[in-house]
């Protein structure tokens, strides 16, 4: 039962991250109607949204830990698509990531095990990621507004 609850909560966290990223992109498109129209990515929403924000907003996300968030996405995909079995296209990468985390592991049957404290960490990491992303986008938007000539 704890496995189901942890899988469910983690899936909810990652769905929320994807939803917030998507809404941020739509907001940028609304604020900058001259920018390229945003299309919801089909495969990797996180990567697609970040690429859109970098191109259209000029944001620099090099200081954000996108690799960590992407690994969370991959773990989420294993949970959603394979009931937690490490079915990633690069399973050794997921396994290595889990081995580095004291609150994640892969059991002998190849299923991802989420320990209780991992959820607190994941919520913190994803929240800080989104906060930093929003701060960077706001900074770039303000800079772009200062550069635009006043309308007469």
């Amino acid at each position: 039962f704890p496995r189901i609850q942890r899988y469910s909560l983690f899936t909810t966290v990652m769905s929320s991250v994807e939803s917030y990223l998507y809404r941020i992109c739509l907001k940028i498109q609304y604020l900058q109607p001259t920018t390229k129209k945003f299309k919801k990515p089909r495969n990797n929403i996180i990567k697609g949204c970040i690429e859109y924000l970098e191109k259209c907003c000029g944001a620099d996300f090099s200081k954000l830990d996108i690799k960590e968030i992407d690994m969370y996405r991959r773990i989420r995909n294993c949970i959603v698509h394979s009931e937690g079995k490490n079915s990633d296209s690069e399973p050794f990468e997921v396994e290595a990531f889990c081995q580095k985390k004291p609150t994640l592991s892969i059991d002998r049957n190849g299923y991802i095990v989420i320990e209780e404290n991992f959820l607190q960490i994941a919520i913190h990491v994803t929240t800080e990621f989104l906060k930093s992303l929003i701060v960077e986008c706001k900074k770039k938007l303000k800079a772009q507004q200062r550069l635009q000539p006043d309308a007469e």
Side-chain angles (χ1 to χ4, degrees):
F1 188 66
R3 177 181 282 206
I4 294 169
Q5 285 185 313
R6 291 175 187 151
Y7 277 3
S8 178
L9 182 54
F10 182 66
T11 301
T12 301
V13 168
M14 291 310 297
S15 294
S16 297
V17 168
E18 290 177 349
S19 176
Y20 282 124
L21 279 171
Y22 178 69
R23 290 180 18 217
I24 290 167
C25 290
L26 292 178
K27 184 70 171 181
I28 295 293
Q29 180 181 284
Y30 172 78
L31 292 172
Q32 293 186 314
T34 58
T35 62
K36 179 182 169 191
K37 185 168 171 57
F38 177 70
K39 290 183 183 178
K40 187 174 182 178
R42 293 189 65 176
N43 294 329
N44 187 337
I45 292 173
I46 294 171
K47 181 181 176 188
C49 289
I50 288 172
E51 287 174 357
Y52 176 82
L53 293 170
E54 286 174 334
K55 288 177 186 170
C56 294
C57 192
D60 176 16
F61 300 130
S62 61
K63 293 180 182 165
L64 298 183
D65 197 354
I66 296 170
K67 288 182 182 180
E68 180 96 1
I69 299 297
D70 189 58
M71 193 57 73
Y72 285 3
R73 177 193 63 81
R74 292 166 64 182
I75 290 170
R76 175 222 167 263
N77 286 348
C78 291
I79 292 167
V80 171
H81 300 294
S82 303
E83 299 178 356
K85 188 141 179 106
N86 183 6
S87 59
D88 189 78
S89 61
E90 300 289 337
F92 296 110
E93 289 180 9
V94 172
E95 189 173 340
F97 180 81
C98 290
Q99 286 175 349
K100 292 178 189 173
K101 304 291 179 186
T103 53
L104 281 176
S105 61
I106 308 276
D107 71 14
R108 63 186 171 162
N109 296 315
Y111 286 89
I112 297 167
V113 177
I114 296 176
E115 300 296 334
E116 184 178 349
N117 292 339
F118 176 73
L119 296 170
Q120 293 169 316
I121 294 165
I123 290 168
H124 175 75
V125 168
T126 55
T127 300
E128 292 303 310
F129 169 78
L130 288 170
K131 281 183 189 175
S132 299
L133 184 133
I134 291 167
V135 166
E136 178 64 21
C137 287
K138 283 182 176 180
K139 185 172 73 174
K140 291 298 181 180
L141 285 173
K142 284 181 182 180
Q144 289 174 4
Q145 287 173 349
R146 283 193 299 266
L147 295 175
Q148 292 177 354
D150 291 333
E152 292 181 27

